[in-house]
Amino acid sequence: MGNSITQAGYTFVVEEQVEVSGEDLGLLQEKLLQLNWGVQHPASGPMRLKVWVDGDEVVKVDPDIGYVLRLLEKLVEYRTWINAIVNVERACFIDNFGTMTGYSIAAEKIAGVEVPKKADYVRTILCEGGRIVSHLIGLGSFIGVLGVHTPMQWALIAREKFLDAFEVYAGQRIATSSIVPGGVRYEPTGKFIEKMITAVDFLEKEFIPRFGEVFIDNPTLKIRSQGVGVVPREKAVELGLAGPALRASGIPSDIRKDYPYAAYGELDFKVVTKEEGDCYARYLVIWEELIESAKIIRQAIEGFPEGEYRTKFPVKVPAGEAYVNVEWARGCFGFHLISDGGTGPYRLKMRAPSFANLWAMPEMMKNVKLADVPVIFASLYMCHGDIDR
């Protein structure tokens, strides 16, 4: 509980044992109202925003993070090269295949290990399946902030199809630990491929037509999101936006195309971009990337090679370091991995895209209406787990 201070008709809640100084003190002296926006819950939204408003106009936003800090980068120092995957994939459960792939490629570079071609194709299929699962939640959540819950229900139905495929492959639906240094953990079976095709079929033939008809060219959605949270092309680069948020401002940046890894260099797909740079454009980028990911999975399955799915990874890795970027669902995810010649990582530093997008938010929310805050927040498509790690 805090103490309430009333000045000139405005009520301020001052938290105990918190000193107000500097710029925040200046805002209070200007008789602005400070609001605590958002929830603090380890599953649904472990972050709050301190929002200063003048009437219903936002003057300043200050993100307050750290509620799910788990020290994942430190914990891998106590793991072997293989079982460190358990910590790495927990950076974000919504799309953990991308994080596992980035870490594994970095470890393979230090060890000088080349993975079989079959493993590259399995990694690509899993990564795009994870991207689809993540984008589905992103689409449903975006409209959910407007008070509409049907899109999320439809998205979760489509998501279940892909989780069924992951369960057939790894025995787990979410925390699969299936991509490891040296390749992939399990032999891809015919049943796994069949389940993945079923999931893609449902996405393309059921979800995309139905969802697109109702929730893409939607007048209410457009009113709330077009022209809101606009980030011009140059500003997007200056702020360091990543992933769909960057591409929605007209920057065709995609690690899968710019610096191909896994099997991406052998597959045909386009980088989705928009020019408007607003919330609606960011929403459309996520939507159209679903279609491209489905194409990638189909191509990878059609060109699936024979051979081994994993090569032996050494118990001890020679001293060295490597930096690897992968195109995660939310953007460029970087892994700086260091070996001291031991049986596990010496140091790991993750460059998380949600964290990069988070710090663009105060700039994007200046002088907008308070009702626009949740729309902009949802359009940045962040994962709280990768912010805190």
Side-chain angles (χ1 to χ4, degrees):
M1 299 294 293
N3 300 318
S4 297
I5 301 174
T6 302
Q7 296 180 1
Y10 291 96
T11 300
F12 307 98
V13 178
V14 182
E15 298 177 359
E16 294 179 358
Q17 299 180 344
V18 175
E19 294 183 2
V20 181
S21 60
E23 185 181 359
D24 292 353
L25 179 61
L27 291 170
L28 287 176
Q29 291 172 342
E30 292 176 16
K31 300 177 182 178
L32 301 177
L33 180 65
Q34 178 189 339
L35 302 176
N36 288 319
W37 184 90
V39 295
Q40 299 169 13
H41 189 280
S44 60
M47 187 180 79
R48 70 164 178 164
L49 300 179
K50 292 188 287 184
V51 183
W52 283 267
V53 294
D54 183 5
D56 68 340
E57 184 172 301
V58 176
V59 176
K60 180 192 173 186
V61 172
D62 183 16
D64 184 16
I65 64 174
Y67 292 96
V68 288
L69 180 63
R70 295 155 292 162
L71 299 174
L72 295 181
E73 294 157 318
K74 186 66 177 176
L75 287 174
V76 302
E77 299 174 17
Y78 303 92
R79 306 288 186 261
T80 67
W81 292 100
I82 299 296
N83 66 24
I85 279 293
V86 173
N87 297 108
V88 171
E89 75 169 336
R90 279 161 174 75
C92 182
F93 276 123
I94 301 175
D95 175 21
N96 48 5
F97 295 110
T99 54
M100 288 188 282
T101 298
Y103 165 81
S104 297
I105 294 175
E108 289 154 7
K109 281 193 172 185
I110 301 174
V113 170
E114 184 175 351
V115 302
K117 188 174 182 179
K118 187 175 186 176
D120 280 336
Y121 272 73
V122 177
R123 285 179 175 181
T124 301
I125 293 170
L126 292 174
C127 282
E128 292 307 305
R131 186 184 312 277
I132 290 172
V133 164
S134 179
H135 282 6
L136 287 170
I137 294 176
L139 289 169
S141 300
F142 183 83
I143 310 183
V145 302
L146 306 181
V148 182
H149 302 293
T150 299
M152 178 58 87
Q153 299 303 316
W154 288 1
L156 291 178
I157 291 171
R159 173 179 178 261
E160 286 296 306
K161 306 297 182 181
F162 288 91
L163 296 187
D164 288 345
F166 301 157
E167 184 176 20
V168 167
Y169 179 68
Q172 302 290 335
R173 298 175 70 79
I174 297 176
T176 66
S177 299
S178 55
I179 298 175
V180 295
V184 291
R185 194 181 291 273
Y186 308 107
E187 173 76 47
T189 63
K191 187 176 180 181
F192 162 64
I193 298 298
E194 179 184 333
K195 282 286 188 180
M196 188 59 74
I197 292 174
T198 299
V200 173
D201 284 343
F202 183 87
L203 182 78
E204 292 182 328
K205 298 175 182 178
E206 299 289 338
F207 176 80
I208 288 177
R210 181 169 56 172
F211 193 95
E213 181 181 5
V214 182
F215 296 114
I216 295 302
D217 191 22
N218 183 295
T220 303
L221 175 66
K222 288 184 175 181
I223 289 171
R224 290 298 307 276
S225 60
Q226 284 185 329
V228 176
V230 177
V231 182
R233 184 186 182 98
E234 296 76 14
K235 195 67 175 179
V237 176
E238 179 186 335
L239 293 174
L241 288 179
L246 178 64
R247 293 189 283 273
S249 293
I251 308 295
S253 173
D254 191 315
I255 302 300
R256 296 173 298 171
K257 279 285 189 182
D258 300 337
Y259 306 96
Y261 58 95
Y264 289 112
E266 302 175 27
L267 305 176
D268 180 37
F269 62 98
K270 72 176 184 178
V271 177
V272 179
T273 60
K274 300 295 175 184
E275 298 297 328
E276 295 80 6
D278 58 11
C279 292
Y280 187 65
R282 291 188 280 275
Y283 175 78
L284 289 182
V285 168
I286 296 172
W287 164 252
E288 292 183 21
E289 284 188 357
L290 282 179
I291 301 170
E292 294 303 311
S293 291
K295 292 179 182 177
I296 291 172
I297 292 175
R298 288 198 183 279
Q299 290 178 66
I301 290 175
E302 290 171 2
F304 205 68
E306 297 294 333
E308 297 295 323
Y309 61 94
R310 186 175 175 184
T311 190
K312 185 175 178 58
F313 194 81
V315 174
K316 289 188 175 182
V317 171
E321 60 183 294
Y323 185 86
V324 170
N325 284 323
V326 294
E327 188 64 33
W328 196 48
R330 287 160 180 77
C332 175
F333 207 128
F335 295 84
H336 184 195
L337 188 61
I338 301 176
S339 170
D340 63 353
T343 58
Y346 175 70
R347 289 287 187 274
L348 172 64
K349 170 61 181 176
M350 300 181 191
R351 187 272 184 193
S354 293
F355 189 82
N357 289 343
L358 167 76
W359 295 110
M361 189 162 50
E363 183 71 24
M364 297 170 65
M365 291 183 179
K366 282 183 180 178
N367 303 320
V368 304
K369 299 299 182 182
L370 185 60
D372 293 331
V373 169
V375 180
I376 297 172
F377 183 91
S379 77
L380 284 173
Y381 183 39
M382 295 178 291
C383 175
H384 298 284
D386 107 58
I387 291 173
D388 286 344
R389 300 189 298 282

